Amino acid sequence: MSEWSSPVKKPGMTIKPGPGNIIFTISKSAQDKMRQKQQEIENIRNEKRRSQQQLWDKVQGADFGAYSLPANFLDCFDWDSDSENGGLGMGPMSHPEQGLLEALKWLNNKDWEQKEKGLLSVRCLASWHPEVLFSRLHDVSIAVTREVNNLRSKVSRHAIRTLADLCKALRRNMDQEVEEISRVLLHKIGDSNDFIRDESDKSLGVMVEYVSPSKVLAALIAGGISHRNSSVRKCAAKYLLAVVEQLAVDRLLSGPRESTDTFLRTLVKLVQDGQQDTRFYGRRMFSLVMTHPKFQQQMERLIPSHDLRELIATVKQKEANDIVSDVPSAKSQRPVQKSSTVVSARPQDTPDADPRLNQPPVVDSEPQESPAPRRQLVRAAEVTEQLKELTKLLTAKEYQSKMDGVKLLTEHCRNNIKFVTSNITQIFDAFNPRMQDANKKVNQFALESAATMIPSLKDSLHHVLVPMVTVITDNLNSKHAGIYTAAVRVLDTLISSIDNLWLLQPLAGRVRFLSGRALNDVTDRLSGLVGAVYPRKPQAVERHVLPVLWYFLSNITGNGVLPGRNGNFKDVVTRLTRSLSRVMGPSLEEYAGGQSQYAVKMLADILGTK
């Protein structure tokens, strides 16, 4: 042994000093450092072993002993891959009943990785053992639906896909769960994450395809049609159209009266929505059902016959210009407006256009030497660019871009009013959804800006009044004080700025679709409009406001409650009745002769003419 070597000490062995042994003396601090370093190395090794074990547990479920998974599962453990079995490259479980219990246990765990294991198990059960889920289907559905709102986007996406797998595998057994599922998925359509939105849209499509259409119909109406977010309403309308196409029209109009009335009110609401694609879907549904023999009779219970005729005429006119497509757009749905400021053709589309000019052609009888056509072309191009820029901002996804769009529109109303009035329909198709934006700051700012724009636009607003009033009045039930105050201001500015005759029909038409504070506010303002309009246009009041009065008097209880509507309406109904009585005199009671005895009695009670 070399004099510089030291023997290896084995357990239980002592090394005695000798000529071949060199004894090292190590200080206490150095020994402590060595022990600390060894401990750190050991900790790293233990952590690595734990990570490997966790990965193996995910694959094999070895720590629970409940699964028997195929060897190729590790290669397919990718949540973003799609396969015939719901995106999971895994086989059946050896003990599915135990797997169900473990899945619920994992889903209730606070750790997100455990939740992922639970979602994985549910998808496996849905693919291979759907019959096992029946015993705890409600519990499973609630647990999975809860994870759709998980703050970790990966878990949220997996939960959304799991709901789709459940609907696909269990079909009509999911009928009892579809209302809550559709509510949560529709809410996610308004999410800022593109992947979450796309997955929610796909899962809703699966739900519509496999679950009972009648259940989906009710769920979509309840969860999406009155949503503040225009994207949610659009999505709900799209899938509602798919359901209506599945169901026979006779079935839609021959069900219980309450459900039929709700469906028909929904159609009217969609046709008048502030978002153009939503209106497109609404018109398609309206067209499908309006040819049925029972349609007119059923609809006249809800809206006056003259309003129904106008609505049918509007739908038919728009339908002639609609281009049916899976994803309608403003360009495909609307005829190009004949305007001096917006030209529809492009030079490459027109044989006679000058190919040297990348501008829309203008037909003019002046000689080519005249500079007037060139100036018109330049002006049209400028207006087209301005319109494109404004629409892009108003329809952007980013909060700040939408705010900038509203500011730009306000500036145009101050400095370039002709541009706005000449293109008011297209501009307000983009602006109206901002007055109902999911972002409360954008919503309030758009409403406040609308109040400042109305006096400048008052002579042109009749073109966009119905969807505008619809959006404004929907805000009257907002719990946000700033939004409610701004909506009231916009409504009062409309009344003070434009011909009140224009407002009778839009406001009277909203009564059937509102409740609570919004219904009180609208009815109160109708009472004021009666006195202003009746002296010069009595027929308009009789046509639009009297049906509202008969609706109230036929349904309101003695203590001022309307069945199915939140709030007390005794005071506003009394004001409306007395306002009509002041301008109509005894003829009001004559008109009441054709109403129910209950309505006649309520009228007499309010007027004190018993």
Side-chain angles (χ1 to χ4, degrees):
M1 181 180 292
S2 167
E3 63 176 324
W4 295 109
S5 65
S6 176
V8 178
K9 184 178 179 181
K10 298 181 180 179
M13 173 181 174
T14 59
I15 302 178
K16 296 181 180 180
N21 296 332
I22 300 176
I23 307 299
F24 294 95
T25 303
I26 302 175
S27 68
K28 189 174 184 302
S29 61
Q31 293 178 21
D32 291 339
K33 288 181 181 180
M34 289 177 64
R35 280 195 296 268
Q36 183 179 357
K37 185 66 175 177
Q38 289 174 347
Q39 185 63 45
E40 288 176 357
I41 294 171
E42 187 65 25
N43 289 341
I44 292 171
R45 288 174 178 170
N46 290 338
E47 183 63 31
K48 186 175 181 181
R49 281 196 293 268
R50 278 196 298 270
S51 299
Q52 291 173 341
Q53 184 64 38
Q54 286 177 355
L55 178 61
W56 183 250
D57 288 345
K58 284 183 180 180
V59 178
Q60 290 289 84
D63 52 340
F64 294 100
Y67 296 88
S68 177
L69 302 180
N72 66 346
F73 179 64
L74 179 60
D75 295 331
C76 301
F77 193 70
D78 181 3
W79 284 88
D80 292 329
S81 64
D82 282 323
S83 71
E84 293 299 319
N85 295 322
L88 300 176
M90 64 187 300
M93 297 179 181
S94 59
H95 304 288
E97 294 81 4
Q98 180 65 23
L100 174 58
L101 297 177
E102 297 293 355
L104 289 170
K105 175 182 175 181
W106 288 331
L107 285 169
N108 289 319
N109 195 296
K110 293 182 179 180
D111 181 67
W112 70 269
E113 292 183 334
Q114 297 294 310
K115 291 181 183 294
E116 279 196 313
K117 289 170 70 174
L119 293 170
L120 174 65
S121 299
V122 171
R123 298 183 76 183
C124 177
L125 289 166
S127 297
W128 295 98
H129 313 282
E131 70 286 348
V132 174
L133 291 168
F134 292 154
S135 62
R136 302 289 299 274
L137 184 55
H138 180 67
D139 294 336
V140 170
S141 179
I142 290 296
V144 174
T145 303
R146 184 173 59 239
E147 297 311 320
V148 171
N149 293 318
N150 194 295
L151 295 179
R152 187 174 286 271
S153 61
K154 185 179 180 183
V155 176
S156 176
R157 287 178 64 193
H158 298 170
I160 292 168
R161 290 184 176 184
T162 304
L163 289 177
D165 288 346
L166 288 171
C167 290
K168 185 174 182 180
L170 301 173
R171 303 187 178 229
R172 302 200 173 196
N173 294 291
M174 294 294 293
D175 284 359
Q176 302 306 313
E177 315 300 332
V178 73
E179 183 173 352
E180 179 63 14
I181 290 173
S182 62
R183 184 190 67 79
V184 172
L185 291 179
L186 283 168
H187 179 73
K188 284 296 177 182
I189 294 295
D191 198 276
S192 58
N193 187 311
D194 290 342
F195 297 109
I196 296 290
R197 287 200 305 272
D198 291 344
E199 291 297 340
S200 300
D201 189 277
K202 292 175 184 176
S203 294
L204 282 167
V206 173
M207 182 187 75
V208 169
E209 182 178 359
Y210 290 101
V211 183
S212 298
S214 58
K215 296 293 184 181
V216 176
L217 182 83
L220 290 173
I221 291 174
I225 298 304
S226 297
H227 202 279
R228 293 175 58 81
N229 189 302
S230 60
S231 297
V232 175
R233 297 198 307 277
K234 171 186 170 182
C235 182
K238 176 177 71 172
Y239 286 117
L240 197 61
L241 172 59
V243 174
V244 169
E245 289 174 338
Q246 289 181 42
L247 292 169
V249 175
D250 188 63
R251 183 177 173 186
L252 287 166
L253 299 182
S254 301
R257 178 170 175 173
E258 183 179 355
S259 60
T260 301
D261 288 355
T262 300
F263 170 66
L264 293 176
R265 286 194 188 98
T266 298
L267 291 189
V268 177
K269 185 179 181 69
L270 291 175
V271 170
Q272 298 176 340
D273 193 87
Q275 211 275 346
Q276 57 188 353
D277 289 352
T278 305
R279 293 199 301 272
F280 171 84
Y281 294 123
R283 289 196 298 270
R284 294 297 303 156
M285 284 182 273
F286 199 97
S287 300
L288 289 173
V289 301
M290 72 181 181
T291 55
H292 193 274
K294 292 184 179 180
F295 173 75
Q296 191 147 347
Q297 175 188 356
Q298 301 268 34
M299 194 63 102
E300 285 179 350
R301 293 202 311 265
L302 307 176
I303 60 176
S305 57
H306 55 272
D307 287 347
L308 178 59
R309 288 194 297 271
E310 291 177 5
L311 192 60
I312 292 174
T314 300
V315 170
K316 287 182 177 179
Q317 179 186 5
K318 293 284 186 180
E319 188 183 20
N321 297 309
D322 280 337
I323 300 176
V324 182
S325 84
D326 292 336
V327 184
S329 64
K331 292 181 179 179
S332 67
Q333 291 173 43
R334 293 188 165 276
V336 178
Q337 304 212 357
K338 295 180 180 178
S339 169
S340 61
T341 57
V342 178
V343 184
S344 60
R346 298 195 305 269
Q348 59 267 34
D349 298 330
T350 310
D352 298 330
D354 186 348
R356 294 169 298 174
L357 299 177
N358 188 25
Q359 302 291 346
V362 174
V363 178
D364 201 293
S365 58
E366 295 185 16
Q368 291 185 1
E369 291 77 9
S370 172
R374 178 63 181 175
R375 286 198 299 272
Q376 292 174 10
L377 289 169
V378 172
R379 174 60 182 155
E382 290 175 355
V383 170
T384 302
E385 280 303 311
Q386 288 177 333
L387 192 58
K388 182 179 179 180
E389 177 192 11
L390 178 59
T391 303
K392 182 179 179 180
L393 288 172
L394 288 172
T395 57
K397 294 180 181 179
E398 296 79 14
Y399 143 78
Q400 190 57 54
S401 296
K402 290 185 283 190
M403 296 283 278
D404 292 341
V406 175
K407 290 177 185 176
L408 181 59
L409 177 56
T410 307
E411 291 175 9
H412 280 310
C413 287
R414 284 197 301 264
N415 306 319
N416 193 9
I417 191 65
K418 187 176 179 182
F419 161 72
V420 180
T421 56
S422 299
N423 302 281
I424 194 162
T425 301
Q426 187 171 349
I427 289 173
F428 269 73
D429 274 346
F431 174 67
N432 278 334
R434 301 292 70 78
M435 291 192 287
Q436 208 172 18
D437 198 273
N439 185 298
K440 291 183 173 59
K441 289 184 179 179
V442 176
N443 190 349
Q444 182 176 343
F445 182 61
L447 287 167
E448 292 169 346
S449 301
T452 66
M453 292 187 281
I454 287 170
S456 303
L457 300 172
K458 59 184 179 180
D459 294 330
S460 303
L461 284 176
H462 60 281
H463 295 293
V464 295
L465 204 53
V466 171
M468 187 177 182
V469 167
T470 299
V471 171
I472 293 167
T473 53
D474 279 343
N475 282 286
L476 293 174
N477 271 331
S478 175
K479 296 179 181 179
H480 189 283
I483 291 175
Y484 171 74
T485 302
V488 170
R489 184 185 169 201
V490 176
L491 189 57
D492 289 339
T493 304
L494 276 174
I495 293 172
S496 63
S497 300
I498 70 175
D499 189 340
N500 287 176
L501 178 62
W502 291 352
L503 286 168
L504 276 187
Q505 181 181 358
L507 286 178
R510 293 296 296 151
V511 167
R512 304 291 180 96
F513 304 99
L514 297 173
S515 63
R517 182 168 58 180
L519 182 54
N520 269 306
D521 288 344
V522 169
T523 307
D524 195 39
R525 282 153 181 80
L526 271 179
S527 302
L529 295 178
V530 165
V533 175
Y534 191 84
R536 62 189 178 92
K537 201 72 173 180
Q539 301 92 335
V541 173
E542 293 164 3
R543 171 186 292 184
H544 298 299
V545 185
L546 273 185
V548 173
L549 178 66
W550 306 141
Y551 168 74
F552 278 131
L553 296 182
S554 298
N555 294 282
I556 199 168
T557 63
N559 58 1
V561 175
L562 276 174
R565 310 293 181 96
N566 297 325
N568 188 290
F569 309 101
K570 185 175 182 179
D571 291 342
V572 291
V573 172
T574 299
R575 282 197 290 274
L576 179 62
T577 306
R578 291 176 178 171
S579 179
L580 286 166
S581 178
R582 279 195 297 272
V583 296
M584 296 180 66
S587 62
L588 177 60
E589 294 183 74
E590 294 176 10
Y591 276 105
Q595 303 303 312
S596 66
Q597 292 184 353
Y598 183 80
V600 173
K601 179 181 179 300
M602 292 298 297
L603 178 65
D605 288 346
I606 292 173
L607 298 179
T609 57
K610 290 191 284 188

